[in-house]
């Protein structure tokens, strides 16, 4: 083996070829929707808007995922909302279930304890499975194998603006890996030990971290105000996400996810997929690989991103006064902007 190594080491390393494509080449992309049967009306509402605003022109397929079997009614109703392909998948208990190393009694005790804090979903077991699935598994579901980019959709949200270009081609052609439209501050009580775990990973796995951009080139300052002492709780909302699947499928991210997972923090605390995605992307990607989708007006629960520029008034149905971007205290959009500008 030693000899072989010597032989190969004299050969000039071949530059990895840049992914070669023409700007108009089709993109392997889909909508991905984790949803329950009882949320049929809510997801139908979302899909009607997505079709009207965007997809009737582009025909990207919809991938529906569920920890349960989808009902025939769910499949019939959703497939009639679009002329694009619709596919339905069930999660196995690797993707949705307790790993063997989790102490479920401890998890239950911690949930009961967290309930006193008034944090949303403090007591919910399924919410924790959901966050772990969205953090570490959706991109490995076999139904997503054939795709390179995804747009995550949720029930009961609003898409307010007409889009007249292919957002997936935009992502690929501009080297974008992560797109968002709302940046939020997390409830600290859900992630007490997350940041320390991330720091431990950096210390324990230098062979992984060495692939990552230097701090100045990354979006590091989006997630920490004190150069790594603590997490500032900023994250991109993942209920809307347009991103590269390869980002999460990379060995680096999988090692990162596994390291987090084995601490049990998804169950003993209530780590959200949003802080996990955001911290990872902020360390693993270069600044230019992020994109703020200002033109995708969007509402999830009580919060709206509405583009304020006059040109959008004819394309969007939202009220720019509702725009969340500069919400004091809650929005992290200005932290994002600063992180982009500063080194
Ligand atoms: P929030 O946005 O953080 O308030 O959480 P949601 O309740 O909206 O859940 C996020 C996404 O996961 C939504 O698309 C839900 O439909 C989906 N989801 C949440 N819990 C479950 C679950 O137990 N089973 C399935 N199949 N989907 C779920
Ligand atoms: Mn939601």
């Amino acid at each position: 083996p030693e000899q072989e190594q010597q032989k190969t080491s004299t050969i000039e390393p071949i530059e990895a070829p840049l992914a070669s494509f023409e700007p108009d080449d089709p993109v392997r992309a889909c909508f991905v929707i984790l949803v329950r049967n009882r949320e049929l009306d809510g997801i139908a509402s979302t899909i009607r808007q997505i079709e009207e605003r965007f997809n009737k022109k582009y025909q990207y397929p919809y991938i529906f995922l569920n920890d349960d079997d989808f009902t025939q009614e769910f499949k019939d109703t959703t497939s009639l909302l679009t002329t694009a392909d619709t596919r339905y998948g069930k999660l196995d208990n690797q993707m949705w279930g307790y790993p063997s190393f989790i102490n479920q009694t401890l998890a239950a005790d911690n949930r009961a304890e967290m309930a006193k804090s008034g944090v949303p979903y403090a007591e919910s077991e399924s919410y924790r499975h959901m966050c772990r699935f969205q953090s570490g598994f959706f991109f490995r579901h076999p139904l997503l194998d054939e795709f390179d980019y995804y747009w995550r959709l949720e029930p009961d949200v609003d898409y307010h603006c007409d889009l007249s270009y292919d957002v997936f081609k935009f992502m690929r052609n501009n080297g974008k890996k992560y797109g968002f439209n709302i940046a939020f501050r997390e409830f600290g009580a859900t992630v007490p030990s997350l940041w320390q775990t991330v720091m431990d990973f950096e210390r324990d796995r230098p062979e992984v971290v060495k692939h990552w951009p230097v701090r100045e080139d990354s979006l590091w300052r989006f997630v920490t105000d004190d150069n790594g002492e603590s997490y500032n709780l900023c994250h991109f909302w993942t209920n809307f996400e347009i991103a590269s699947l390869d980002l999460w499928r990379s060995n680096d991210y999988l090692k990162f996810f596994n390291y987090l997972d084995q601490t049990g923090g998804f169950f003993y605390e209530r780590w959200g997929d949003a802080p996990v995605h955001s911290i990872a992307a902020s360390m693993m990607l270069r600044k230019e690989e992020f994109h703020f989708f200002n033109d995708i007006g969007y509402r999830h629960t009580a919060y709206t991103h509405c583009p304020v520029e006059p040109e959008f008034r004819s394309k969007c149905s939202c009220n720019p006064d509702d725009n969340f971007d500069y919400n004091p205290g809650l929005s992290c959009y200005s932290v994002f902007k600063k992180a982009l500008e500063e080194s």
Side-chain angles (χ1 to χ4, degrees), residues 34-36 39 65-68 96 121 126-127 130 134 152-155 239 300-301:
L34 176 74
V35 64
R36 292 163 283 212
E39 295 170 303
L65 301 175
N66 190 352
D67 57 308
D68 197 357
W96 190 284
Y121 307 108
S126 66
Y127 194 82
M130 184 275 287
Q134 299 287 24
R152 176 170 155 186
L153 297 180
E154 280 204 1
N239 45 72
H300 175 279
T301 57

Side-chain angles (χ1 to χ4, degrees), residues 25 76 114 116 141 172 176 306 339:
D25 285 351
D76 291 346
M114 193 180 281
K116 299 175 193 163
H141 192 282
R172 180 196 56 193
K176 301 291 184 186
C306 186

Side-chain angles (χ1 to χ4, degrees), residues 176-193:
K176 301 291 184 186
K177 303 280 174 61
Y178 193 88
F180 71 97
N181 57 11
I182 290 181
F184 214 93
R185 235 175 253 273
E186 183 60 294
F187 300 92
T190 65
V191 286
S193 74

Side-chain angles (χ1 to χ4, degrees), residues 27 29-33 46-64 78-79 81-86 151 153 159 161-168 296:
V27 185
C30 65
F31 296 100
V32 60
I33 308 176
T46 301
I47 293 170
R48 275 189 210 103
Q49 296 177 61
I50 283 288
E51 286 293 310
E52 181 59 30
R53 297 295 194 182
F54 172 76
N55 201 46
K56 62 176 184 234
K57 248 167 82 189
Y58 300 104
Q59 299 289 306
Y60 284 103
Y62 292 84
I63 309 299
F64 296 89
T78 48
S79 61
L81 295 167
T82 174
T83 50
D85 211 1
T86 51
W151 179 338
L153 297 180
Y159 279 94
C161 303
D162 291 334
L163 288 167
S164 53
Y165 65 99
D166 185 329
V167 296
F168 295 116
I296 304 192

Side-chain angles (χ1 to χ4, degrees), residues 66-133:
N66 190 352
D67 57 308
D68 197 357
D69 288 307
F70 282 114
T71 62
Q72 198 56 45
E73 186 201 5
F74 187 98
K75 292 191 262 192
D76 291 346
T77 306
T78 48
S79 61
L80 282 172
L81 295 167
T82 174
T83 50
D85 211 1
T86 51
R87 299 172 207 162
Y88 303 85
K90 190 177 178 178
L91 313 179
D92 61 26
N93 50 20
Q94 289 281 105
M95 296 195 170
W96 190 284
Y98 285 106
S100 57
F101 54 80
I102 293 295
N103 176 340
Q104 293 187 37
T105 314
L106 177 60
D109 289 348
N110 288 4
R111 286 198 303 276
E113 187 57 35
M114 193 180 281
K116 299 175 193 163
S117 70
V119 162
Y121 307 108
E123 285 177 283
S124 173
E125 206 170 3
S126 66
Y127 194 82
R128 287 172 171 78
H129 289 296
M130 184 275 287
C131 290
R132 178 170 176 267
F133 170 74

